[in-house]
Amino acid sequence: MIVDVLIVSSIYDFSTDLVVQELENRGVKYFRLNKEDFTTYRSTIDIENRLLEVTVNGQSYKITSATKSIYYRQPIFLRNTPSNSLTIDEQLSRSQWMAFLRSLVIFEKAAWMNRPEATYLAETKAYQLVVAKEIGFKIPVTLIGNDADKFQQFKRQIIVKSLDTILLRESNDCLFTYSTLKETSELNDQNVFSAPLTVQEYVAEKTDIRVTVIGGKLLSVIITSEGSGIDEDWRTVERDLVEYTEIELPKDIQNHCFELLRRLGLNFGAIDLLLSNGEFSFVEINPTGEWGWLVNSERRFDVDIASWLVAGE
């Protein structure tokens, strides 16, 4: 079967499940390539004919120059994925399958959401902040590094975060890092020197806003708890206590969001903004950000994404 839509994802990704259901409802010819199933596939990239053929359970799926779109949901070769100690064979297998996925960039005629190289650049926090400021976004004062003395220039509370998404494994626990509110005095050479940090000025009396952009569509929601803004990372609050209310952003802020995606070469992006004292500040953009938690009867991101993939634009 020649595939119209290729999805690169994980068997555990709920957002991908929603898109797949919508594609199936539309009768779209698709193939979902899950990272956990690499060894159950028999896969070949034919360079001369620019063809990817994957055989699974006796069924052959072909990705060709006629394939409309590729939903690159999880650029896993960019992630420090959680693992226990791996054997040499396991390490070799992982590295080579990641290289295999990178080879999919040969399908240049397909519409990508998003191309791996664009995702790699867009996930670089320093770069996205520079681009956002050039576009016209206000950004928090930001320092990146491991020199605790430099961080002391912040005279008030600060936000400390990792440079990249972190997934770590300790015994049977999978650990994820969140942005943390700290006092500047808590940062010293002993607890900072081993790895660089991102340190930003704390924006007081702020309310978080999540902006999701899919092609030419934009949806923004304001995130509160009991009607008020959340001081720290809202993802650390119990889900039942968090409220998501759709809002319309000022036109100039909407334009900044669209321009940011254009500059970064993205067709999808989850943008985090802060609203404080009537001013909007850019925090970050995630080119593979989660959106399944926002799907409801009124807002169907799965429909929007499926429509974009089917149209191939």
Side-chain angles (χ1 to χ4, degrees):
M1 180 177 72
I2 296 178
V3 171
D4 290 324
V5 177
L6 171 65
I7 299 174
V8 181
S9 186
S10 163
I11 60 175
Y12 303 110
D13 189 64
F14 172 67
S15 297
T16 298
D17 294 342
L18 296 175
V19 173
V20 164
Q21 290 174 12
E22 181 62 22
L23 292 176
E24 289 181 347
N25 290 338
R26 301 185 186 199
V28 176
K29 295 179 181 178
Y30 76 92
F31 179 66
R32 178 174 178 171
L33 185 68
N34 291 317
K35 66 178 183 179
E36 296 84 2
D37 295 331
F38 285 147
T39 57
T40 68
Y41 304 140
R42 295 298 174 263
S43 307
T44 305
I45 295 177
D46 182 337
I47 297 297
E48 182 176 0
N49 295 302
R50 206 169 292 202
L51 166 72
L52 166 64
E53 184 171 3
V54 182
T55 302
V56 54
N57 296 327
Q59 175 71 48
S60 174
Y61 300 89
K62 296 180 179 180
I63 291 81
T64 71
S65 58
T67 295
K68 289 184 177 181
S69 56
I70 299 176
Y71 187 24
Y72 207 71
R73 172 64 184 159
Q74 289 192 339
I76 54 178
F77 68 91
L78 305 177
R79 297 270 186 233
N80 47 337
T81 52
S83 65
N84 292 313
S85 57
L86 300 175
T87 66
I88 293 296
D89 287 344
E90 289 169 333
Q91 294 175 57
L92 178 63
S93 176
R94 173 177 292 186
S95 68
Q96 296 312 294
W97 278 115
M98 298 309 98
F100 186 87
L101 285 185
R102 292 200 296 274
S103 300
L104 297 180
V105 297
I106 66 173
F107 296 102
E108 297 176 323
K109 293 183 179 180
W112 282 75
M113 186 180 278
N114 295 299
R115 284 187 65 86
E117 68 274 20
T119 296
Y120 184 91
L121 187 59
E123 286 192 334
T124 304
K125 297 297 189 279
Y127 183 71
Q128 60 177 244
L129 284 164
V130 167
V131 173
K133 186 174 181 180
E134 289 177 352
I135 289 170
F137 273 120
K138 179 180 179 181
I139 65 171
V141 176
T142 304
L143 294 178
I144 298 173
N146 72 332
D147 188 338
D149 289 342
K150 297 294 185 183
F151 298 146
Q152 302 310 309
Q153 67 182 266
F154 293 98
K155 302 303 181 183
R156 48 188 178 181
Q157 289 180 309
I158 52 176
I159 294 294
V160 178
K161 60 177 74 173
S162 61
L163 271 67
D164 193 12
T165 301
I166 295 179
L167 290 171
L168 302 173
R169 181 175 290 278
E170 183 177 52
S171 299
N172 293 322
D173 294 327
C174 188
L175 310 176
F176 181 81
T177 61
Y178 295 99
S179 301
T180 306
L181 180 61
K182 295 283 188 181
E183 298 290 338
T184 307
S185 58
E186 295 181 66
L187 301 185
N188 55 59
D189 190 64
Q190 188 173 11
N191 60 26
V192 165
F193 81 94
S194 63
L197 300 170
T198 299
V199 178
Q200 292 182 321
E201 65 174 330
Y202 174 62
V203 178
E205 299 179 1
K206 56 89 174 176
T207 306
D208 294 273
I209 296 173
R210 166 59 67 89
V211 183
T212 305
V213 180
I214 301 169
K217 294 186 176 182
L218 178 151
L219 174 87
S220 51
V221 296
I222 195 163
I223 302 171
T224 56
S225 180
E226 297 182 347
S228 300
I230 300 168
D231 288 338
E232 297 192 49
D233 193 321
W234 58 268
R235 294 170 299 177
T236 63
V237 178
E238 289 185 35
R239 182 168 298 184
D240 292 344
L241 300 178
V242 180
E243 304 134 0
Y244 310 105
T245 306
E246 188 169 345
I247 63 169
E248 184 171 354
L249 293 173
K251 197 65 177 179
D252 62 327
I253 300 299
Q254 292 186 42
N255 290 338
H256 287 348
C257 292
F258 284 124
E259 177 64 10
L260 180 63
L261 265 73
R262 189 193 70 78
R263 286 279 301 272
L264 295 176
L266 304 175
N267 290 307
F268 172 92
I271 302 171
D272 290 328
L273 304 178
L274 301 179
L275 176 60
S276 177
N277 297 319
E279 287 191 312
F280 293 87
S281 298
F282 171 86
V283 178
E284 64 179 315
I285 180 172
N286 187 338
T288 55
E290 292 296 335
W291 48 265
W293 47 279
L294 286 172
V295 171
N296 55 45
S297 59
E298 297 179 355
R299 170 47 58 183
R300 296 288 304 276
F301 286 107
D302 51 331
V303 172
D304 293 338
I305 291 175
S307 295
W308 190 95
L309 293 171
V310 170
E313 60 180 15

Coordinates of all heavy atoms in Angstrom, one line a residue, residues 86-134:
L86 N 22.5 -0.2 29.3 CA 22.3 -0.9 28.1 C 23.5 -1.7 27.7 O 24.6 -1.3 27.9 CB 22.0 0.1 26.9 CG 20.7 1.0 27.1 CD1 20.7 2.0 25.9 CD2 19.5 0.2 27.2
T87 N 23.3 -2.8 27.0 CA 24.4 -3.6 26.5 C 24.9 -2.9 25.3 O 24.3 -2.0 24.7 CB 23.9 -5.0 26.1 OG1 23.0 -4.9 25.0 CG2 23.2 -5.7 27.3
I88 N 26.1 -3.4 24.8 CA 26.7 -2.8 23.6 C 25.7 -3.0 22.5 O 25.5 -2.0 21.7 CB 28.0 -3.5 23.3 CG1 29.0 -3.1 24.4 CG2 28.5 -3.1 22.0 CD1 29.4 -1.7 24.5
D89 N 25.1 -4.1 22.3 CA 24.2 -4.4 21.2 C 23.0 -3.4 21.3 O 22.5 -2.9 20.2 CB 23.7 -5.8 21.2 CG 24.8 -6.8 20.8 OD1 25.8 -6.3 20.1 OD2 24.6 -8.0 21.0
E90 N 22.5 -3.2 22.5 CA 21.3 -2.3 22.6 C 21.7 -0.9 22.3 O 20.9 -0.2 21.7 CB 20.8 -2.4 24.1 CG 20.1 -3.7 24.4 CD 19.8 -3.9 25.8 OE1 20.5 -3.3 26.7 OE2 18.8 -4.7 26.2
Q91 N 22.9 -0.5 22.7 CA 23.3 0.9 22.4 C 23.5 1.1 20.9 O 23.1 2.1 20.3 CB 24.7 1.2 23.1 CG 24.6 1.3 24.6 CD 25.9 1.4 25.3 OE1 26.6 2.4 25.0 NE2 26.3 0.5 26.2
L92 N 24.1 0.1 20.3 CA 24.3 0.1 18.8 C 22.9 0.2 18.1 O 22.7 1.0 17.2 CB 25.1 -1.1 18.4 CG 25.3 -1.2 16.8 CD1 26.1 -0.1 16.4 CD2 26.0 -2.6 16.5
S93 N 22.0 -0.7 18.5 CA 20.7 -0.7 17.9 C 20.0 0.6 18.0 O 19.4 1.2 17.0 CB 19.8 -1.8 18.5 OG 18.5 -1.8 18.0
R94 N 20.0 1.2 19.2 CA 19.4 2.5 19.4 C 20.0 3.6 18.5 O 19.2 4.3 17.9 CB 19.4 2.9 20.9 CG 18.9 4.3 21.1 CD 19.0 4.7 22.6 NE 18.0 3.9 23.4 CZ 17.7 4.1 24.7 NH1 18.4 5.1 25.3 NH2 16.9 3.4 25.3
S95 N 21.3 3.7 18.5 CA 21.9 4.7 17.7 C 21.6 4.6 16.2 O 21.4 5.6 15.5 CB 23.4 4.7 18.0 OG 24.0 3.6 17.4
Q96 N 21.6 3.4 15.8 CA 21.4 3.2 14.3 C 20.0 3.4 13.9 O 19.7 3.9 12.8 CB 21.9 1.8 13.9 CG 23.4 1.5 14.1 CD 24.2 2.7 13.6 OE1 24.2 2.9 12.3 NE2 24.9 3.4 14.4
W97 N 19.0 3.0 14.8 CA 17.6 3.3 14.4 C 17.3 4.8 14.4 O 16.5 5.3 13.7 CB 16.7 2.6 15.4 CG 16.4 1.2 15.0 CD1 16.8 0.1 15.7 CD2 15.8 0.7 13.8 NE1 16.4 -1.1 15.0 CE2 15.8 -0.7 13.9 CE3 15.3 1.3 12.7 CZ2 15.3 -1.5 12.8 CZ3 14.8 0.5 11.6 CH2 14.8 -0.9 11.7
M98 N 18.0 5.5 15.3 CA 17.9 7.0 15.3 C 18.4 7.6 14.1 O 17.8 8.5 13.5 CB 18.6 7.6 16.6 CG 18.0 7.2 17.9 SD 16.2 7.3 18.1 CE 15.7 5.6 17.7
A99 N 19.5 7.0 13.6 CA 20.1 7.5 12.3 C 19.2 7.1 11.2 O 19.0 7.9 10.2 CB 21.5 6.9 12.1
F100 N 18.5 6.0 11.3 CA 17.6 5.6 10.2 C 16.4 6.6 10.1 O 16.0 7.0 9.0 CB 17.0 4.2 10.6 CG 16.1 3.6 9.5 CD1 16.6 2.9 8.5 CD2 14.7 3.8 9.6 CE1 15.8 2.3 7.5 CE2 13.9 3.2 8.6 CZ 14.4 2.5 7.6
L101 N 15.9 7.1 11.3 CA 14.8 8.0 11.3 C 15.3 9.4 10.7 O 14.5 10.0 9.9 CB 14.3 8.3 12.7 CG 13.5 7.2 13.3 CD1 13.0 7.7 14.7 CD2 12.3 6.9 12.4
R102 N 16.5 9.8 11.0 CA 17.0 11.0 10.4 C 17.1 10.9 8.9 O 17.0 11.9 8.2 CB 18.4 11.3 10.9 CG 18.4 11.7 12.4 CD 19.7 12.4 12.8 NE 20.9 11.6 12.6 CZ 21.4 10.8 13.5 NH1 20.7 10.7 14.7 NH2 22.5 10.1 13.3
S103 N 17.2 9.7 8.4 CA 17.3 9.5 6.9 C 16.0 9.9 6.2 O 15.9 10.0 5.0 CB 17.7 8.1 6.6 OG 19.0 7.8 7.1
L104 N 14.9 10.0 7.0 CA 13.6 10.3 6.4 C 13.6 11.7 5.8 O 12.6 12.0 5.0 CB 12.5 10.1 7.4 CG 12.3 8.7 8.0 CD1 11.1 8.7 9.0 CD2 12.0 7.7 6.9
V105 N 14.6 12.5 6.1 CA 14.6 13.8 5.5 C 14.7 13.8 4.0 O 14.6 14.9 3.3 CB 15.7 14.7 6.1 CG1 15.5 14.9 7.6 CG2 17.1 14.1 5.9
I106 N 15.0 12.7 3.4 CA 15.1 12.6 1.9 C 13.8 12.8 1.3 O 13.7 13.1 0.1 CB 15.7 11.3 1.4 CG1 14.7 10.1 1.8 CG2 17.1 11.0 2.1 CD1 15.2 8.8 1.2
F107 N 12.7 12.7 2.0 CA 11.3 12.9 1.5 C 11.0 14.4 1.5 O 10.2 14.8 2.3 CB 10.3 12.0 2.2 CG 10.6 10.6 2.0 CD1 11.2 9.8 3.0 CD2 10.3 9.9 0.8 CE1 11.4 8.5 2.8 CE2 10.5 8.6 0.6 CZ 11.1 7.8 1.6
E108 N 11.7 15.1 0.7 CA 11.6 16.6 0.7 C 10.3 17.1 0.2 O 9.9 18.3 0.5 CB 12.8 17.2 -0.1 CG 14.1 16.9 0.5 CD 15.3 17.4 -0.3 OE1 15.2 17.3 -1.6 OE2 16.3 17.8 0.3
K109 N 9.6 16.4 -0.7 CA 8.3 16.9 -1.3 C 7.2 16.8 -0.3 O 6.1 17.4 -0.5 CB 8.0 16.1 -2.6 CG 9.0 16.4 -3.7 CD 8.6 15.6 -5.0 CE 9.6 15.9 -6.1 NZ 9.2 15.2 -7.3
A110 N 7.3 16.0 0.7 CA 6.2 15.8 1.7 C 6.2 17.1 2.6 O 7.2 17.7 2.8 CB 6.5 14.6 2.6
A111 N 5.0 17.4 3.0 CA 4.8 18.5 4.0 C 5.1 17.9 5.4 O 4.5 16.8 5.7 CB 3.4 19.0 3.9
W112 N 6.0 18.5 6.1 CA 6.4 18.0 7.4 C 5.8 18.8 8.6 O 5.8 20.0 8.5 CB 7.9 18.1 7.5 CG 8.7 17.0 6.8 CD1 8.9 17.0 5.4 CD2 9.4 15.9 7.3 NE1 9.6 15.9 5.1 CE2 10.0 15.2 6.2 CE3 9.6 15.5 8.6 CZ2 10.7 14.1 6.4 CZ3 10.3 14.3 8.8 CH2 10.9 13.6 7.7
M113 N 5.5 18.1 9.6 CA 5.1 18.7 10.9 C 5.8 18.0 12.0 O 5.3 17.1 12.6 CB 3.5 18.6 11.1 CG 3.0 19.3 12.3 SD 1.2 19.1 12.5 CE 0.6 20.4 11.4
N114 N 7.1 18.4 12.3 CA 7.9 19.3 11.6 C 9.2 18.6 11.1 O 9.5 17.5 11.6 CB 8.4 20.4 12.6 CG 7.2 21.3 13.1 OD1 6.6 21.9 12.4 ND2 7.0 21.2 14.5
R115 N 9.9 19.2 10.2 CA 11.2 18.6 9.8 C 12.1 18.5 10.9 O 12.2 19.4 11.8 CB 11.8 19.4 8.6 CG 11.1 19.3 7.3 CD 11.9 20.0 6.2 NE 13.2 19.3 6.0 CZ 13.4 18.3 5.2 NH1 12.4 17.8 4.5 NH2 14.6 17.8 5.0
P116 N 12.9 17.4 11.0 CA 13.8 17.2 12.1 C 14.8 18.3 12.4 O 15.1 18.7 13.5 CB 14.5 15.8 11.8 CG 13.5 15.1 10.9 CD 12.9 16.2 10.1
E117 N 15.4 18.8 11.3 CA 16.4 19.8 11.5 C 15.8 21.1 12.0 O 16.5 21.8 12.8 CB 17.2 20.1 10.2 CG 16.5 20.7 9.1 CD 15.7 19.7 8.2 OE1 15.5 18.6 8.6 OE2 15.4 20.1 7.1
A118 N 14.6 21.4 11.6 CA 13.9 22.6 12.1 C 13.6 22.4 13.6 O 13.7 23.3 14.4 CB 12.6 22.9 11.3
T119 N 13.1 21.2 14.0 CA 12.8 20.9 15.4 C 14.1 21.0 16.2 O 14.0 21.6 17.3 CB 12.3 19.5 15.5 OG1 11.0 19.4 14.8 CG2 12.0 19.1 16.9
Y120 N 15.2 20.5 15.7 CA 16.5 20.5 16.5 C 16.8 22.0 16.8 O 17.1 22.3 18.0 CB 17.6 19.9 15.7 CG 18.9 19.8 16.4 CD1 19.2 18.7 17.1 CD2 19.8 20.9 16.3 CE1 20.4 18.6 17.8 CE2 21.0 20.8 17.0 CZ 21.3 19.7 17.7 OH 22.5 19.6 18.4
L121 N 16.7 22.9 15.8 CA 17.1 24.3 16.0 C 16.1 24.9 16.9 O 16.5 25.7 17.8 CB 17.2 25.0 14.7 CG 17.7 26.4 14.7 CD1 19.1 26.5 15.3 CD2 17.7 27.0 13.3
A122 N 14.8 24.7 16.7 CA 13.7 25.3 17.5 C 13.8 24.9 18.9 O 13.3 25.7 19.8 CB 12.4 25.0 16.9
E123 N 14.3 23.7 19.2 CA 14.3 23.3 20.6 C 15.5 23.9 21.4 O 15.6 23.7 22.6 CB 14.4 21.8 20.7 CG 13.1 21.1 20.4 CD 13.1 19.6 20.7 OE1 14.2 19.0 20.7 OE2 12.1 19.0 21.0
T124 N 16.4 24.6 20.7 CA 17.5 25.3 21.3 C 17.0 26.5 22.0 O 16.7 27.5 21.3 CB 18.6 25.6 20.3 OG1 19.0 24.4 19.6 CG2 19.8 26.2 21.0
K125 N 16.9 26.5 23.3 CA 16.3 27.6 24.1 C 16.9 29.0 23.8 O 16.2 30.0 23.7 CB 16.2 27.3 25.6 CG 15.4 26.0 25.9 CD 14.0 26.2 25.6 CE 13.1 25.1 26.1 NZ 13.2 23.9 25.3
A126 N 18.2 29.0 23.8 CA 18.9 30.3 23.5 C 18.5 30.9 22.2 O 18.2 32.1 22.1 CB 20.4 30.1 23.6
Y127 N 18.4 30.0 21.2 CA 18.1 30.5 19.8 C 16.7 31.0 19.7 O 16.4 32.1 19.2 CB 18.4 29.4 18.8 CG 18.1 29.8 17.4 CD1 19.0 30.7 16.8 CD2 17.0 29.4 16.7 CE1 18.8 31.1 15.5 CE2 16.8 29.8 15.4 CZ 17.7 30.7 14.8 OH 17.4 31.1 13.5
Q128 N 15.7 30.2 20.3 CA 14.3 30.6 20.2 C 14.1 31.9 20.9 O 13.3 32.8 20.5 CB 13.4 29.5 20.7 CG 13.6 29.1 22.1 CD 12.6 28.1 22.6 OE1 11.8 28.4 23.5 NE2 12.6 26.9 22.0
L129 N 14.8 32.2 22.0 CA 14.6 33.4 22.8 C 15.2 34.6 21.9 O 14.5 35.7 21.9 CB 15.3 33.4 24.1 CG 14.7 32.5 25.2 CD1 15.6 32.2 26.3 CD2 13.4 33.3 25.7
V130 N 16.3 34.4 21.3 CA 16.9 35.5 20.5 C 15.9 35.8 19.3 O 15.7 37.0 19.0 CB 18.3 35.1 19.9 CG1 18.7 36.0 18.8 CG2 19.3 35.1 21.1
V131 N 15.4 34.8 18.6 CA 14.5 35.0 17.5 C 13.2 35.7 18.0 O 12.7 36.6 17.4 CB 14.2 33.7 16.8 CG1 13.1 33.9 15.8 CG2 15.4 33.1 16.2
A132 N 12.7 35.3 19.1 CA 11.5 35.9 19.7 C 11.7 37.4 20.0 O 10.8 38.2 19.6 CB 11.0 35.1 20.9
K133 N 12.8 37.7 20.5 CA 13.1 39.1 20.8 C 13.2 39.9 19.5 O 12.8 41.0 19.4 CB 14.4 39.2 21.6 CG 14.6 40.7 22.1 CD 15.8 40.8 23.0 CE 16.0 42.2 23.5 NZ 17.2 42.3 24.4
E134 N 13.9 39.3 18.5 CA 14.0 40.0 17.2 C 12.7 40.3 16.6 O 12.5 41.3 15.9 CB 14.9 39.2 16.3 CG 16.4 39.1 16.6 CD 17.2 38.2 15.7 OE1 16.5 37.5 14.9 OE2 18.4 38.2 15.8

